[in-house]
Structure formats: C-alpha cells, structure tokens
Amino acid sequence: MGETVRFGISMDEELLESFDRLIEQKGYANRSEAIRDLIRAAQVELDWEEGEKEGVGTVTLVYNHHVRDLSDKLTEHQHAHHDQIVSALHVHLDAHNCLEVLVVRGKVRDVRRIADELIGVKGVKHGKLVMTTTGEGLH
Ligand code: NI
C-alpha cells in the first residue's frame, strides 16, 4: 500500500446530497471509505473487460435435481473445468431443489465462458455469475 494522500473533490450540491444518502443507506463510516469502494468496484469491472486478466468469480445455480440428466450434466461440466473450478458448495434446498455455488478462477474470458455454460444447461432455474477479484493489484 502507498502513502495516504488527501485531495479535494468539487461537485454539484444535489449530487453530494444524494451521495451522502447512499453512504447512510450502505452504512459507510465516511465519504472517503465510500469513494475508495466505488473506485475499487470500477477497477474490478474494468479488469473484467480484459479477457486475459486473471479473475475469480462465483457462479450460483438453482436447479431441480429430478430433471433428467441435469445433475450429471452439471457434474460433467465441473469435471471438464476442474483446473478452474476451485471449490463447490451444494445445498439441498428442499425435496427437489438444489443450490450450488462454485468458485471459478482463471482468465476472465474462461471464467465467463464456464459460467455461461453452467447457467445455460437446460433445467437450471436461476444462475448468476458474480465477478470479483483475486485482490492482487487492488489497494
Ligand atoms: Ni441437492
């Protein structure tokens, strides 16, 4: 981490008021912490635009395990990408529905593709990729 630098920001009064409301809603301690988080979020988003960068994401899937071949297909996908899928959590939600959360790490292009493949398997009721960061290069 570098040295802490103080700087001033000029902005429209109403924009600042809405920012302060956001800070309160989100429970930030102060404006500085909120701004730091916004910058980090923008940086992570930017990183995900570069296919070659290393990223990490979580893929959440909800599906009915009674659907024919569905569990097998999802397991097959996971084995095919065992190098990138570093962890998996399975919860039996009820008698029929399963929740899976997979942690996928690799080039962001590959992480996106793996997530799309899994979410796109027929019978998956809901799927979402949350793109985050390895933390490297982010201060
Ligand atoms: Ni289950």
Side-chain angles (χ1 to χ4, degrees):
M1 265 179 74
E3 204 180 310
T4 299
V5 179
R6 294 177 67 91
F7 67 103
I9 299 174
S10 311
M11 72 170 76
D12 178 88
E13 197 181 8
E14 287 178 14
L15 184 61
L16 183 60
E17 281 170 12
S18 77
F19 185 51
D20 284 341
R21 280 196 299 275
L22 182 147
I23 286 170
E24 206 183 315
Q25 278 173 18
K26 298 274 186 185
Y28 281 110
N30 53 53
R31 288 174 180 161
S32 293
E33 189 49 36
I35 288 169
R36 284 192 288 268
D37 258 16
L38 287 171
I39 292 170
R40 290 186 199 110
Q43 183 63 57
V44 170
E45 220 166 281
L46 212 60
D47 287 348
W48 276 83
E49 287 174 12
E50 292 180 45
E52 293 299 310
K53 273 219 166 178
E54 196 193 3
V56 59
T58 54
V59 182
T60 301
L61 303 167
V62 173
Y63 62 92
N64 182 330
H65 76 104
H66 293 305
V67 172
R68 198 180 143 83
D69 296 337
L70 181 51
S71 300
D72 285 349
K73 272 186 204 156
L74 290 172
T75 304
E76 225 168 85
H77 272 288
Q78 293 181 43
H79 279 279
H81 301 292
H82 62 89
D83 282 343
Q84 286 96 0
I85 299 175
V86 295
S87 186
L89 166 83
H90 187 107
V91 178
H92 309 302
L93 293 171
D94 56 32
H96 316 286
N97 294 293
C98 300
L99 165 73
E100 266 183 12
V101 181
L102 310 170
V103 179
V104 190
R105 183 176 188 168
K107 287 182 180 173
V108 300
R109 174 185 296 130
D110 297 334
V111 176
R112 265 190 211 283
R113 188 173 41 82
I114 291 165
D116 286 343
E117 277 176 20
L118 290 161
I119 293 166
V121 171
K122 196 180 166 203
V124 172
K125 290 182 177 180
H126 182 252
K128 194 169 173 66
L129 166 65
V130 174
M131 295 166 276
T132 185
T133 172
T134 61
E136 203 171 320
L138 204 67
H139 304 284

